[in-house]
Amino acid sequence: MTASPDLRTPQLASPDLLRSVFRQHAAGVAVITAQGPSGPVGFTATSLVSVSAEPPMVSFGIGTGASSWPAVSEADHVGVHILGEHQLDLATTFARSGADRFGGDTRWYEGPEGVPVLDGTLAWLVCRVAARVPAGDHRIVLAEAVVGDPAGAGRPLLYHQGRFNALRD
């Protein structure tokens, strides 16, 4: 049996095509933090990936035009926080350009290696930055886990179709 032809017309690759395709991809929501020279920085990421168990490594992407990039580009360590569905406001705050991400209702403390650690997340890691790999207008940061806590309570926050969503059974 052969596959039936797809009746839709494929589009040539473009930034809009990539965005449209990845709106169909549900992703977990994380916040990446670092200590910068002027204080803590952070951003919402849906590009977090487990890379290796031995050594324990993760990766995430960050745009070189992002306000957090200068600090992340120099940081020896970063924080990786897995958000729960109860943290929609936190995800929105860290995704919004120009927001006071560490003020207001954001609960955090200085964790290991001086990394800002967010309270109430499902899980978190402090990771040593191993590499920053150029990838178009972004950098892929590879980071080795040093310490963390997987014991938060709740269900994960997801990102799909340009919106934050709760996991449904």
Side-chain angles (χ1 to χ4, degrees):
M1 176 183 271
T2 61
S4 61
D6 191 340
L7 301 178
R8 296 177 292 184
T9 304
Q11 300 174 30
L12 292 176
S14 69
D16 287 338
L17 174 63
L18 189 68
R19 285 185 201 99
S20 294
V21 167
F22 274 87
R23 281 189 189 101
Q24 301 295 346
H25 176 69
V29 180
V31 167
I32 309 299
T33 61
Q35 184 59 49
S38 301
V41 300
F43 64 97
T44 299
T46 57
S47 60
L48 181 65
V49 176
S50 171
V51 173
S52 168
E54 187 57 46
M57 294 192 90
V58 299
S59 73
F60 59 87
I62 179 172
T64 56
S67 62
S68 297
W69 170 242
V72 172
S73 74
E74 298 292 327
D76 292 329
H77 292 83
V78 294
V80 174
H81 307 83
I82 308 299
L83 299 191
E85 63 187 9
H86 63 285
Q87 295 178 303
L88 172 64
D89 289 344
L90 191 64
T92 302
T93 296
F94 277 81
R96 191 172 41 244
S97 180
D100 181 5
R101 296 173 179 158
F102 289 90
D105 294 332
T106 302
R107 294 183 354 251
W108 66 280
Y109 60 94
E110 185 177 312
E113 304 296 338
V115 172
V117 174
L118 302 174
D119 279 338
T121 61
L122 296 185
W124 61 267
L125 295 168
V126 168
C127 302
R128 180 189 58 76
V129 174
R132 296 171 186 89
V133 181
D137 61 355
H138 278 62
R139 295 297 180 268
I140 304 302
V141 178
L142 293 163
E144 184 175 350
V146 174
V147 64
D149 182 356
R155 295 164 50 104
L157 183 63
L158 300 178
Y159 189 74
H160 181 248
Q161 289 290 341
R163 296 185 7 236
F164 296 113
N165 294 279
L167 184 64
R168 294 178 205 23
D169 290 327

